[in-house]
Amino acid sequence: MEKPFSPGNKRMLGIQILDILSRYSSKKSPLTHKQIIDKLNSQHLVTCTRSTLAAHITNFQTDEFQNIFGCIVKCDKLGKGYYLEQEFSDGELKLLIDSVMSIRSLPENDAKVLIGKLLRHGSQSFQLRTKSYTSADMRGLPNSPNQEVLASIAVITDAINNNHKVSFIYNDIALDSNKELVLHPRSKERYLVNPYRIMLYSGRLYLLCNTDPHENLSTYRIDKMSLVREEASGIKTWRDIDKAYNPPKTMLESLHMFSSDIIDIEFWIEEDCLKDVVDWFGWGYFKIDDKKDTRLLIRLKCNETAMSFWALSFGEYIEITKPKELRFRIRELAQEIYKKHKI
């Protein structure tokens, strides 16, 4: 009896034609009937007549086929050949692959598997072009050692959809007896939280949540979680989270994902640094209230702890004016830095 996926099995002819078009055709290099038939014979050991091939290609050019499979076979000029217009363009696939590579929360093996799945959506020429630099770029990337990240994301997603709490062990980075970096539990007790959203910020995946009986929102890095578990108890609604949570606004105000209060901040900064303010806080998330000489007066909302570190990174180019508590805190930090670095 002939096996369903054995070479030469014509019952798979439609899939085999799509495989040839997917791997070898492109808008710049379409395949003629003869080229497709030759590759079917060499790659899949099947013979195919022109009329049979034409019938399959006609089916692959319908809107119904595109709606179901997300791709379509096209012919830009009669007699010049056919190509498969993939669901993702080369540029879109490149963007998705680079995005996976930039997520530092993922362990290297998981990142490689995801990239491999994305590569299969591209043509053979795209795969050959992309594999070489992807393999080189993957080496030495600061990926997470936590092998539970994807499983944790799945559990958290289910818990959010089911309106259930999640519990987990939260870890810190520590040195083991061999002076190797390892994840070490921060506490023997499991954290129990009300999960609301998974957020990506600066290459790290965070869980936005609340801990009973507190009323504030907290963030935890998912790559520092282990033994994540969905609990049977229901979550507490946090002040209408769908209205309160705005992804761009939340991430800009919670710079570096610190969990302290969001406050109104006012500071003077050199005009040459305006591009840096835009890069960090985005268009429309701050106001320029005044200008004196080469300095601009900026007003915005931001996490207090994060703002203190951000301001220190700009040193003499910035002056916090409000609130006074933050101004004093930065002065104290600057004095501590001076004491440690004075000669």
Side-chain angles (χ1 to χ4, degrees):
M1 182 177 178
E2 188 180 29
K3 295 180 181 179
F5 296 98
S6 62
N9 182 1
K10 287 191 176 182
R11 286 182 292 177
M12 300 294 293
L13 183 59
I15 293 175
Q16 291 160 341
I17 293 170
L18 285 174
D19 173 61
I20 296 299
L21 288 168
S22 173
R23 287 197 287 158
Y24 298 106
S25 72
S26 67
K27 185 177 178 66
K28 293 182 179 179
S29 302
L31 297 178
T32 63
H33 281 108
K34 184 179 185 306
Q35 288 173 320
I36 296 172
I37 291 171
D38 289 344
K39 286 192 177 295
L40 282 170
N41 185 260
S42 63
Q43 298 292 316
H44 295 290
L45 306 181
V46 295
T47 57
C48 177
T49 64
R50 285 177 177 267
S51 59
T52 301
L53 176 61
H56 279 287
I57 287 177
T58 299
N59 290 332
F60 299 155
Q61 292 177 311
T62 62
D63 291 338
E64 183 180 7
F65 177 83
Q66 185 176 25
N67 291 335
I68 295 173
F69 295 99
C71 56
I72 192 168
V73 172
K74 288 192 171 183
C75 174
D76 291 340
K77 190 174 182 181
L78 194 63
K80 292 297 183 181
Y82 302 89
Y83 64 93
L84 185 69
E85 186 174 80
Q86 303 275 11
E87 185 171 11
F88 297 102
S89 69
D90 287 357
E92 290 169 335
L93 283 174
K94 174 70 165 57
L95 177 63
L96 291 171
I97 289 170
D98 287 350
S99 297
V100 171
M101 293 175 64
S102 70
I103 300 177
R104 301 170 69 184
S105 293
L106 287 178
E108 184 176 339
N109 287 339
D110 286 347
K112 286 181 177 178
V113 170
L114 278 173
I115 289 170
K117 291 178 179 179
L118 290 169
L119 281 171
R120 287 199 292 273
H121 285 273
S123 64
Q124 190 173 58
S125 60
F126 174 80
Q127 293 180 32
L128 291 173
R129 290 197 313 271
T130 309
K131 271 186 178 179
S132 57
Y133 78 76
T134 299
S135 299
D137 290 349
M138 285 296 294
R139 291 195 295 270
L141 282 179
N143 295 104
S144 170
N146 187 349
Q147 301 300 314
E148 301 179 31
V149 174
L150 289 181
S152 297
I153 291 172
V155 173
I156 292 169
T157 301
D158 286 343
I160 292 173
N161 291 336
N162 296 330
N163 291 320
H164 286 166
K165 286 182 168 65
V166 293
S167 67
F168 52 86
I169 298 295
Y170 201 61
N171 302 281
D172 281 324
I173 305 297
L175 289 175
D176 63 11
S177 57
N178 297 320
K179 295 185 178 180
E180 297 287 340
L181 291 176
V182 294
L183 291 174
H184 183 74
R186 182 177 290 185
S187 168
K188 293 181 180 179
E189 301 295 326
R190 294 180 66 85
Y191 284 55
L192 180 66
V193 302
N194 301 295
Y196 299 123
R197 297 289 188 276
I198 291 175
M199 301 165 53
L200 176 63
Y201 178 83
S202 193
R204 304 288 189 191
L205 290 162
Y206 293 84
L207 172 63
L208 182 71
C209 58
N210 163 263
T211 304
D212 293 331
H214 306 291
E215 293 298 323
N216 64 308
L217 287 174
S218 301
T219 53
Y220 293 95
R221 271 177 49 180
I222 295 178
D223 62 313
K224 288 188 176 183
M225 296 179 184
S226 58
L227 303 176
V228 179
R229 186 170 68 208
E230 179 180 358
E231 303 294 345
S233 51
I235 66 170
K236 175 182 71 177
T237 302
W238 190 86
R239 306 177 195 171
D240 197 352
I241 186 68
D242 289 328
K243 291 182 179 179
Y245 171 69
N246 175 283
K249 183 172 180 288
T250 300
M251 286 187 281
L252 290 169
E253 291 180 350
S254 303
L255 198 64
H256 301 310
M257 291 293 112
F258 286 106
S259 297
S260 58
D261 293 335
I262 305 299
I263 60 172
D264 292 308
I265 297 171
E266 178 185 282
F267 58 88
W268 288 97
I269 195 166
E270 291 294 325
E271 188 173 359
D272 287 345
C273 298
L274 179 60
K275 60 183 182 300
D276 299 294
V277 178
V278 173
D279 285 346
W280 280 97
F281 297 100
W283 293 97
Y285 285 97
F286 64 89
K287 293 182 179 179
I288 301 175
D289 278 0
D290 198 1
K291 179 180 179 181
K292 289 183 179 179
D293 299 324
T294 61
R295 300 204 305 168
L296 301 173
L297 182 63
I298 305 288
R299 295 180 190 272
L300 50 76
K301 290 181 179 290
C302 186
N303 177 290
E304 184 175 6
T305 303
M307 190 64 192
S308 64
F309 288 105
W310 188 84
L312 283 172
S313 70
F314 283 87
E316 70 272 25
Y317 300 107
I318 189 172
E319 178 192 356
I320 301 291
T321 53
K322 293 180 182 178
K324 289 183 178 179
E325 294 80 7
L326 179 59
R327 182 181 176 91
F328 292 152
R329 174 60 180 155
I330 290 175
R331 184 173 67 183
E332 290 173 351
L333 290 171
Q335 289 172 343
E336 287 297 319
I337 293 171
Y338 171 75
K339 288 178 184 178
K340 290 179 179 179
H341 291 82
K342 68 179 180 180
I343 299 175

